[in-house]
Amino acid sequence: MSDTKKSFEIVLAAHGLCKTYPDTQSKGVIKALDHLDLAVREGEILGILGPNGAGKTTCLNILATLLLPDAGEIEIFGLRSTPGNFNAVRSWINMSSGYPNYAFSLTVEENLKFYGRLYGLRGAALQRKVDEVTGLFDLQSYARRRFDELSSGTKQRLSLAKSLINDPKILFLDEPTIGLDPDVSLKTREIILDILRKRKMTVLLTSHNMDEVESMCARVAFIQKGRIIKLASVDELKRLHQTDDLEKIFIQLAHSDSSQLCHSRESGNPQTPKNTSNESFKTLPIPKSGGWQAWFNRAVAFTIRSAIFARRNLFVMTDVFFWPMISLLSIGLMAKFVKLGPQTLGFVMTGTLAAGVLQIAQLDVGYTVLYELWSKSLKHTLLTPIGVSEGVAGTWIIGMVRGFIAFVLLTCVAAGGFGFHLPGLLTTVLFLFGLFACAFVLGILVNVLILSFGQKVEITAWMFAQLFMILCGMYYPVDMLPKAFQYLALMVPITHFLEFFRQAYGFKAHTPYPLLSGFALTLLYIILSLRLLGHAYTRARKKGIIIRLSE
């Protein structure tokens, strides 16, 4: 039956997508997408073809919410794909790309569970789904092998398994078999086709393998210079170009004059999706957010990942035992040398303990994005329906655990070696929690800087955190600072928590209620920093930073 007589339901429609990037060489712009239109039918495998730099991957990244267009609209199952609707859209989609990267310290099973939790799975349901997708791609024998120990073919199969963890209705496959041996590539295609036939999944596939395109795709959209210049079935393409060789057709289209192929919209632009009488748009009810339980489940995913990373990477543990201890011993020995009295010793040791705890706890929050950068897996995490706060909240838990361990160790050494004693239990607990809350804010700011400027500012981001410690009077009274800096210091909550704790050693605070002042400022900064982090993620999607940090 011809397409004109069949009835189709459109599940994804893009209208007028535009995307430009700055051209550093010419100081102009590069048009990655130029008013691209596309309509995708339910259950079809649509091939997205074109030469390198034509806009294929940019198109997929925009459709998958990883990149924001400069202009244009996208509808998926009748829902506009805008930042406010991204989490709903992401519950319907997933992606597998060539040369995939995931958390290198996690095993195959742990990586799949991490993403499964982000999609809302937990407990027995999570384990069943992980067992199912590992079985589909013969990954059972690799389940407990770390990602950095896998071959390229096994990594590719893991990527495909991950892409099915949420039972997506639309799947984006970006060069899914690139770099694989021919026999592995053929077997992978057969597995994908078998799965898609059973699940009636819609697929958008980019590939330079014409055999793959011909065996898998119902229709092909050819992109050149950011526009679709040809949209037809494989049989139609062969008939129009009078050849059965898809590679020859690819070469002809790649070297054709796109201005002649792309007529004006009024004369029938081949890329403009028309809602003809045999096409209708399919809509689905908007998925429920899941509330606080879903939020908690996603936060736990980051907590577990951070715990595994810390356990398997020795250099992470040196943060707890080495640098804070070196600082404590240096300052403690200096205190002995200058013969500090109990009151002044309490003042200095309070700052030493606070500096160690802050440094450790804020590191873990900062690792939220850094783990993704080191493993180049940021785009896969941001493809899931997570918000701004789950990642930093989950890693903060590990930061508090490691910070508490460090606090206990440092306090024991300070007490045994230098005669330092803590005040009451309640005072100590409130002081510690205040430090952890400040570390949360500092860690978020580190994430903001890295998302805004990339990995090149990693060292600068840590320096930024140290500046706050200098300003708040870590080792000296705030009164020692110039007058202007004293006012700035009182805007930093760490200052108030230090003054609250030092009251036990006979020092006066600048405010009547330093603890209340500290928590009030911290709450304000948490709200502002989370909003800033959300803005940084949006900007990173707009500028393509997320994609660059994943390459």
Side-chain angles (χ1 to χ4, degrees):
M1 185 184 293
S2 68
D3 281 0
T4 56
K5 295 180 181 179
K6 289 182 180 179
S7 177
F8 299 105
E9 286 192 304
I10 303 299
V11 296
L12 185 155
H15 307 278
L17 294 184
C18 297
K19 188 66 186 178
T20 59
Y21 296 105
D23 188 345
T24 54
Q25 186 173 348
S26 68
K27 306 301 181 182
V29 295
I30 299 171
K31 284 186 178 181
L33 294 182
D34 183 13
H35 296 90
L36 182 141
D37 295 337
L38 182 65
V40 184
R41 300 165 178 172
E42 184 181 27
E44 78 168 328
I45 303 178
L46 177 66
I48 308 292
L49 304 185
N52 290 328
K56 306 182 300 296
T57 300
T58 297
C59 178
L60 255 61
N61 284 330
I62 288 176
L63 297 177
T65 76
L66 295 172
L67 189 62
L68 293 178
D70 298 333
E73 294 183 354
I74 302 166
E75 286 188 29
I76 296 179
F77 293 111
L79 182 67
R80 286 191 63 195
S81 184
T82 59
N85 293 329
F86 276 170
N87 280 357
V89 169
R90 289 172 191 151
S91 68
W92 292 326
I93 65 175
N94 212 317
M95 173 184 277
S96 175
S97 53
Y99 303 118
N101 290 297
Y102 298 106
F104 52 84
S105 290
L106 270 60
T107 65
V108 167
E109 184 174 11
E110 287 164 349
N111 267 297
L112 290 172
K113 284 185 174 181
F114 171 69
Y115 291 106
R117 290 187 181 98
L118 295 184
Y119 282 108
L121 297 172
R122 61 180 184 269
L126 174 63
Q127 188 62 56
R128 282 196 301 271
K129 177 54 67 174
V130 169
D131 292 342
E132 177 191 331
V133 295
T134 52
L136 285 171
F137 294 97
D138 296 326
L139 290 168
Q140 298 96 324
S141 58
Y142 300 95
R144 288 174 174 77
R145 190 170 296 182
R146 285 170 39 156
F147 181 79
D148 57 4
E149 298 172 347
L150 302 177
S151 67
S152 58
T154 308
K155 289 177 180 178
Q156 196 65 56
R157 283 187 283 154
L158 171 60
S159 178
L160 289 164
K162 189 279 302 181
S163 71
L164 298 177
I165 198 75
N166 64 321
D167 292 319
K169 299 183 183 303
I170 299 176
L171 183 61
F172 301 102
L173 298 178
D174 189 13
E175 304 275 7
T177 60
I178 191 170
L180 301 184
D181 293 333
D183 57 331
V184 178
S185 178
L186 178 61
K187 184 179 179 182
T188 301
R189 286 202 300 270
E190 291 173 349
I191 292 171
I192 294 171
L193 283 170
D194 183 59
I195 292 169
L196 299 182
R197 277 193 293 264
K198 291 177 180 176
R199 303 190 183 199
K200 199 183 179 183
M201 200 179 296
T202 303
V203 177
L204 279 78
L205 167 76
T206 69
S207 179
H208 284 94
N209 186 330
M210 294 302 105
D211 289 337
E212 184 169 271
V213 171
E214 189 165 3
S215 65
M216 295 182 69
C217 298
R219 293 191 303 158
V220 170
F222 196 93
I223 298 181
Q224 188 185 56
K225 296 181 180 179
R227 305 193 77 191
I228 294 178
I229 62 172
K230 187 73 72 174
L231 178 59
S233 68
V234 173
D235 290 338
E236 280 183 278
L237 284 174
K238 290 179 178 179
R239 191 164 57 250
L240 287 168
H241 290 265
Q242 298 181 344
T243 178
D244 288 335
D245 191 335
L246 208 55
E247 285 194 3
K248 286 184 178 179
I249 298 172
F250 181 98
I251 294 169
Q252 288 176 21
L253 290 171
H255 291 88
S256 63
D257 186 349
S258 61
S259 63
Q260 293 179 2
L261 286 166
C262 289
H263 306 295
S264 67
R265 292 179 184 272
E266 289 78 10
S267 61
N269 184 346
Q271 72 164 359
T272 304
K274 299 176 182 178
N275 188 12
T276 58
S277 58
N278 63 331
E279 289 181 342
S280 60
F281 285 88
K282 180 169 183 174
T283 61
L284 290 176
I286 299 175
K288 295 180 180 179
S289 65
W292 70 268
Q293 289 181 321
W295 184 94
F296 180 78
N297 201 51
R298 291 190 290 267
V300 166
F302 285 95
T303 302
I304 294 172
R305 187 187 68 171
S306 294
I308 294 171
F309 191 89
R311 191 176 76 243
R312 291 183 183 157
N313 292 274
L314 182 62
F315 77 89
V316 175
M317 296 309 296
T318 60
D319 295 334
V320 176
F321 300 105
F322 188 73
W323 296 115
M325 195 62 68
I326 290 294
S327 177
L328 177 77
L329 292 174
S330 299
I331 291 174
L333 291 171
M334 181 197 69
K336 270 193 170 183
F337 174 71
V338 299
K339 298 180 180 179
L340 293 182
Q343 185 184 35
T344 311
L345 177 68
F347 185 100
V348 173
M349 281 299 173
T350 296
T352 307
L353 293 173
V357 170
L358 277 170
Q359 183 66 21
I360 291 166
Q362 63 102 14
L363 270 175
D364 278 288
V365 181
Y367 284 158
T368 306
V369 172
L370 280 174
Y371 284 163
E372 306 287 355
L373 263 61
W374 293 336
S375 60
K376 300 186 182 298
S377 59
L378 183 61
K379 71 175 185 179
H380 296 292
T381 301
L382 296 183
L383 189 66
T384 66
I386 64 168
V388 171
S389 59
E390 297 99 311
V392 288
T395 53
W396 183 47
I397 299 297
I398 299 301
M400 287 193 289
V401 171
R402 295 203 310 138
F404 178 74
I405 294 171
F407 182 80
V408 171
L409 290 173
L410 293 172
T411 301
C412 289
V413 173
F418 307 109
F420 171 73
H421 296 287
L422 292 173
L425 178 62
L426 180 60
T427 300
T428 302
V429 170
L430 290 172
F431 173 62
L432 257 183
F433 188 72
L435 292 180
F436 291 148
C438 292
F440 185 59
V441 175
L442 288 174
I444 292 174
L445 294 178
V446 169
N447 284 307
V448 169
L449 286 172
I450 292 171
L451 282 170
S452 299
F453 303 104
Q455 197 167 358
K456 59 187 177 183
V457 300
E458 180 182 336
I459 296 175
T460 306
W462 301 128
M463 291 169 57
F464 180 73
Q466 293 293 332
L467 288 174
F468 279 98
M469 297 186 190
I470 294 173
L471 187 63
C472 68
M474 196 67 72
Y475 301 110
Y476 42 79
V478 172
D479 295 334
M480 299 293 292
L481 295 170
K483 201 68 176 177
F485 287 95
Q486 290 181 32
Y487 291 120
L488 286 175
L490 293 177
M491 297 173 65
V492 180
I494 303 170
T495 303
H496 299 283
F497 291 124
L498 287 169
E499 291 189 345
F500 163 74
F501 197 71
R502 284 166 174 163
Q503 284 179 329
Y505 300 103
F507 293 91
K508 291 184 178 181
H510 283 80
T511 59
Y513 306 102
L515 186 66
L516 183 61
S517 299
F519 280 119
L521 282 173
T522 303
L523 179 60
L524 173 64
Y525 291 152
I526 286 174
I527 294 170
L528 292 176
S529 61
L530 286 174
R531 289 182 67 87
L532 196 60
L533 183 60
H535 175 74
Y537 274 121
T538 300
R539 182 181 178 275
R541 285 191 176 91
K542 187 174 183 179
K543 298 289 185 181
I545 295 173
I546 288 170
I547 306 303
R548 291 201 298 273
L549 294 179
S550 302
E551 294 174 346

